[in-house]
Amino acid sequence: MSYQVTIEPTGEQIEVEEGQTILQAALRQGVWLPFACGHGTCATCKCQVLEGEVDVGAASPFALMDVEREEGKVLACCAIPQSDLVIEADIDVDPDFAGHPVQDYRAVVSRVVELSPTIKGVHLKLDRPMAFQAGQYINLQLPGIEGTRAFSLANPPGRPDEVELHVRLVDGGAATGYIHRELQVGDAVELSGPYGQFFVRASQAGDLIFIAGGSGLSSPQSMILDLLAQGDTRQITLFQGARTREELYNRELFEDLAARHANFSYVPALSQAAEDGEWGGFRGYVHDAAKKHFDGRFAGHKAYLCGPPPMIDAAISCLMQGRLFERDIFMERFLTAADGAGEGTRSALFKRI
């Protein structure tokens, strides 16, 4: 049995199977609804039921208060239809969003590469190609590990049959610990995707700035490889931040790209290079490297930020001081469960939630 859900103000319609949440059905049919945590704690996917009956599910009482429930509000990630529905969601339709449906995949580990002392590159051969936009992510299910873990895709869409993930070892992390210590070539895993709203806005004019820290390099790598493969003529500048040279992975890849593409520049920055006499690059934080490179003036650019929350917030402050605005900045914060991964992905420096 299934129910039809009409989503206003766009008028899109989806079929929701019995026991399936509104968000699950929408994503698997290529219809985007705003969401972040996916399990009822952040309220990003809150919407209004205009017609029909619905079970609010396991929504947190903090994310969905009693008075809101009485008013007919639900969280799409938890809400299960009990009849045909008409709902109203806060949808900001992006003309650059391709809307690839979320699907389930089986995969076999084809390579595991040590990128840095704390980051491994994991390559997964899929049972069929995955259509996605550069910058999106997948949810990975590992044997014996409860729940799924989100990892950004580091490969470009032009290589859709094998996905590449950059996985940082997290202290006490069950999933990352398993990947770093137990995952072997030939192992079978399951995943679903693509997810996410982090992608290059191709229709928006302006040269491109990418600022990445740690394993947050994965999404910018996918985006940059895709842009260059498509022959994009805009100026593209990547700022990669790490603490030491050992942690500055894939440096040779981007130096080679910079040598072959006149419109691509690569600026690595080390925050703990004081004792490294061999390092001739920028010494300091990655946002300061961007500030120096552009002399503190970023107007006319679009910026894409990916990495840990402190790096993201520092970069946003720097960019806004240099005359970029919220509409010019896009981000993907890398959070672990310990960081509060279910608390949303927007910076506190932005007004929109």
Side-chain angles (χ1 to χ4, degrees):
M1 183 176 182
S2 64
Y3 298 108
Q4 180 174 282
V5 176
T6 302
I7 303 169
E8 299 294 355
T10 63
E12 292 180 287
Q13 295 182 333
I14 59 174
E15 293 292 324
V16 185
E17 299 296 328
E18 188 169 7
Q20 191 177 35
T21 69
I22 295 172
L23 180 63
Q24 288 171 341
L27 293 176
R28 290 181 177 273
Q29 292 168 60
V31 176
W32 183 78
L33 291 174
F35 78 100
C37 73
H39 51 256
T41 62
C42 75
T44 302
C45 64
K46 189 177 296 180
C47 53
Q48 178 72 49
V49 177
L50 302 178
E51 297 178 19
E53 299 295 326
V54 63
D55 180 352
V56 299
S60 161
F62 300 101
L64 189 67
M65 296 183 291
D66 289 342
V67 65
E68 293 177 309
R69 298 171 192 237
E70 293 172 2
E71 293 171 350
K73 289 183 171 62
V74 298
L75 303 184
C77 68
C78 297
I80 299 174
Q82 296 182 318
S83 71
D84 290 346
L85 298 176
V86 178
I87 66 171
E88 185 175 44
D90 184 16
I91 300 175
D92 183 11
V93 180
D94 193 312
D96 293 309
F97 180 53
H100 297 297
V102 171
Q103 298 183 42
D104 296 318
Y105 297 85
R106 295 178 182 272
V108 174
V109 179
S110 56
R111 277 197 298 159
V112 179
V113 182
E114 185 172 312
L115 297 174
S116 82
T118 59
I119 299 173
K120 286 189 181 294
V122 179
H123 296 253
L124 305 174
K125 184 70 174 179
L126 303 178
D127 58 355
R128 64 190 188 284
M130 175 191 293
F132 68 95
Q133 286 182 271
Q136 291 190 295
Y137 68 90
I138 56 97
N139 280 335
L140 180 64
Q141 175 68 66
L142 295 165
I145 305 296
E146 183 178 357
T148 61
R149 300 297 189 276
F151 295 103
S152 291
L153 295 162
N155 56 296
R159 299 205 301 268
D161 59 341
E162 183 176 89
V163 300
E164 176 185 349
L165 313 175
H166 297 170
V167 182
R168 177 176 66 90
L169 180 63
V170 177
D171 289 340
T176 64
Y178 179 91
I179 290 170
H180 274 252
R181 302 185 186 100
E182 299 184 46
L183 192 68
Q184 301 290 326
V185 171
D187 287 355
V189 296
E190 296 182 353
L191 58 94
S192 63
Y195 298 94
Q197 289 285 297
F198 188 56
F199 52 85
V200 174
R201 270 59 180 182
S203 67
Q204 297 187 15
D207 291 335
L208 305 174
I209 296 172
F210 293 90
I211 301 179
S215 59
L217 180 66
S218 52
S219 290
Q221 176 176 304
S222 176
M223 293 167 155
I224 290 166
L225 290 174
D226 188 41
L227 288 164
L228 295 177
Q230 293 180 36
D232 196 293
T233 59
R234 286 173 290 183
Q235 290 296 316
I236 303 167
T237 307
L238 168 64
F239 298 92
Q240 181 188 4
R243 291 179 298 182
T244 64
R245 271 192 299 156
E246 291 74 20
E247 296 180 353
L248 191 71
Y249 70 94
N250 282 3
R251 177 183 172 191
E252 294 80 6
L253 167 65
F254 295 108
E255 288 177 339
D256 178 65
L257 290 174
R260 293 190 290 113
H261 297 273
N263 65 322
F264 174 65
S265 299
Y266 172 58
V267 181
L270 299 184
S271 61
Q272 296 181 12
E275 305 301 323
D276 189 343
E278 297 182 19
W279 176 246
F282 185 85
R283 297 170 183 263
Y285 291 111
V286 66
H287 65 277
D288 288 326
K291 183 177 181 179
K292 179 181 178 181
H293 185 84
F294 286 102
D295 196 24
R297 295 190 289 267
F298 303 106
H301 290 81
K302 299 296 179 184
Y304 294 84
L305 319 177
C306 196
M311 186 218 80
I312 293 288
D313 287 339
I316 290 171
S317 295
C318 178
L319 292 168
M320 295 183 87
Q321 289 169 9
R323 303 302 294 166
L324 279 196
F325 301 96
E326 183 176 348
R327 66 176 180 270
D328 304 314
I329 303 172
F330 307 91
M331 75 188 78
E332 186 86 300
R333 292 197 297 170
F334 270 35
L335 296 169
T336 68
D339 296 323
E343 297 176 4
T345 58
R346 294 307 300 254
S347 167
L349 298 176
F350 277 16
K351 293 180 181 178
R352 288 186 281 120
I353 300 299

